[in-house]
Amino acid sequence: MPRARGYAILYPFIMKGNPFLRAWLFGFVAVVTSSSLAAQPATQSTRDSTARDPNSVQPERPTVATHAGTVARGWFELEEGGEWDKAADGRRSFFVPMNLKIGLASRAQLNVLVNLVTDPGPGTSVAVSDFTFGIKYRLVDDAPIIGDFATLPAIKLPWASTLSAGTGTTDFSLLLVSSHQLGPVAMDLNVGQTWRGGDGTRAPKMASLWTASFGFPIDGPLGAVAEVFGYPRTTGPVGAKGTAALLVGPTYLVQEWLAVDTGIIVPIAGEQAHAVYAGFVWNLGCAATRNICRD
């Protein structure tokens, strides 16, 4: 009880203080919780950083973070969902993120990402976003400090069907991924940087992100994810203040090849939208030759 009372006394000062202190606090609590759970017996999670079976899903959604795991060579996996956002000014939006993952080699995976977004333009209700192509390469497994470590360079091409669905710029990005298995808890830490073409009037020429994500089992196929993520301040004509948010929600492994998820996103700092999401991850199987599928 004294410890709980102490938290109650500190709470108003934390929530009224520096907003990024709140983001740090959520991350600190998550790390401490994960460290304590690491002493418990290990249980396989749907967010394991390496696959146990090529037909088992390796969800990268619903979190902003990705893990260092890669789809087996020749195998295909589809991630898709829906997210309903409510911005600070009351505006509402909806988009459908899609990510097709293709195993290129034992440590390499191709990501093809595109969104369907609600378009405020007249006569159009849904628009196709720009396309992003990235290759995740797992450099090491179980290394000291960095754990399973991967890099994910990507290029986004200005192929949006309407001006409101894309930035109109060619973007290059690099994401660094560090994944750890702490007993039953899968922890994924990401930092990334994006460099955009154009003159900075449609989108900032540089942007970055950070995220700390945790996935853990609850009971049998039922699990959960919790993540703290943020987008630091950008500069230029359309620059914005930094944001941070907390994502949390349950996951459910329907079959080894199908997982579903749902949850919420709440802002911690900046003008981050409130959101509700739901989606699935579907391992489509191997589309290569029989010999490759057995590797």
Side-chain angles (χ1 to χ4, degrees), residues 6 11 18 30 38 44 58 68 82 103 136 142 152 161 170 175 185 188 199 213 228 235 238 244-245 259 262 266 273:
Y11 181 83
N18 188 322
Q44 183 171 345
Q58 295 191 76
K136 178 164 54 172
D142 297 322
L152 178 52
S161 59
T170 298
L175 188 70
V185 179
D188 302 310
D199 57 8
S213 175
V228 184
T235 60
V238 291
T262 187
V266 294

Side-chain angles (χ1 to χ4, degrees), residues 74-118:
W75 292 70
F76 286 65
E77 191 164 285
L78 175 65
E79 303 196 351
E80 189 169 339
E83 181 174 315
W84 295 261
D85 290 355
K86 182 180 180 181
D89 60 5
R91 287 181 300 173
R92 298 176 183 272
S93 60
F94 171 73
F95 72 99
V96 177
M98 294 181 286
N99 180 14
L100 178 63
K101 303 183 291 186
I102 305 171
L104 300 180
S106 60
R107 291 178 172 269
Q109 168 187 301
L110 172 66
N111 286 6
V112 182
L113 301 98
V114 64
N115 297 336
L116 299 179
V117 301
T118 52

Side-chain angles (χ1 to χ4, degrees), residues 46-276:
T46 58
R47 290 183 55 79
D48 279 351
S49 58
T50 55
R52 304 296 189 266
D53 179 337
N55 196 43
S56 296
V57 290
Q58 295 191 76
E60 297 181 27
R61 61 160 294 119
T63 57
V64 175
T66 182
H67 53 71
T70 53
V71 174
R73 183 163 69 115
W75 292 70
F76 286 65
E77 191 164 285
L78 175 65
E79 303 196 351
E80 189 169 339
E83 181 174 315
W84 295 261
D85 290 355
K86 182 180 180 181
D89 60 5
R91 287 181 300 173
R92 298 176 183 272
S93 60
F94 171 73
F95 72 99
V96 177
M98 294 181 286
N99 180 14
L100 178 63
K101 303 183 291 186
I102 305 171
L104 300 180
S106 60
R107 291 178 172 269
Q109 168 187 301
L110 172 66
N111 286 6
V112 182
L113 301 98
V114 64
N115 297 336
L116 299 179
V117 301
T118 52
D119 186 0
T124 304
S125 58
V126 177
V128 180
S129 75
D130 295 334
F131 276 77
T132 300
F133 301 88
I135 295 180
K136 178 164 54 172
Y137 186 78
R138 197 170 74 254
L139 297 173
V140 295
D141 294 326
D142 297 322
I145 302 176
I146 59 174
D148 298 347
F149 186 79
T151 60
L152 178 52
I155 180 171
K156 182 180 74 64
L157 302 176
W159 289 349
S161 59
T162 67
L163 291 177
S164 61
T167 61
T169 62
T170 298
D171 302 358
F172 297 92
S173 63
L174 177 63
L175 188 70
L176 304 181
V177 183
S178 175
S179 294
H180 303 258
Q181 195 68 36
L182 308 174
V185 179
M187 177 177 73
D188 302 310
L189 308 176
N190 294 185
V191 292
Q193 184 74 38
T194 297
W195 298 266
R196 295 191 178 98
D199 57 8
T201 58
R202 291 288 306 277
K205 293 180 69 67
M206 295 183 65
S208 55
L209 70 88
W210 57 266
T211 177
S213 175
F214 303 86
F216 47 91
I218 295 177
D219 183 22
L222 179 65
V225 294
E227 177 184 44
V228 184
F229 65 91
Y231 299 94
R233 182 179 68 91
T234 55
T235 60
V238 291
K241 296 180 179 179
T243 65
L246 172 68
L247 177 152
V248 63
T251 61
Y252 191 82
L253 188 62
V254 181
Q255 297 286 341
E256 65 172 4
W257 47 267
L258 177 64
V260 295
D261 58 73
T262 187
I264 61 171
I265 299 172
V266 294
I268 299 173
E271 297 183 357
Q272 170 71 40
H274 289 79
V276 176

Side-chain angles (χ1 to χ4, degrees), residues 2-24:
R3 181 178 299 178
R5 189 180 304 117
Y7 288 154
I9 293 172
L10 288 173
Y11 181 83
F13 294 96
I14 293 170
M15 300 312 290
K16 292 180 181 179
N18 188 322
F20 290 96
L21 176 61
R22 300 200 296 268
W24 177 89

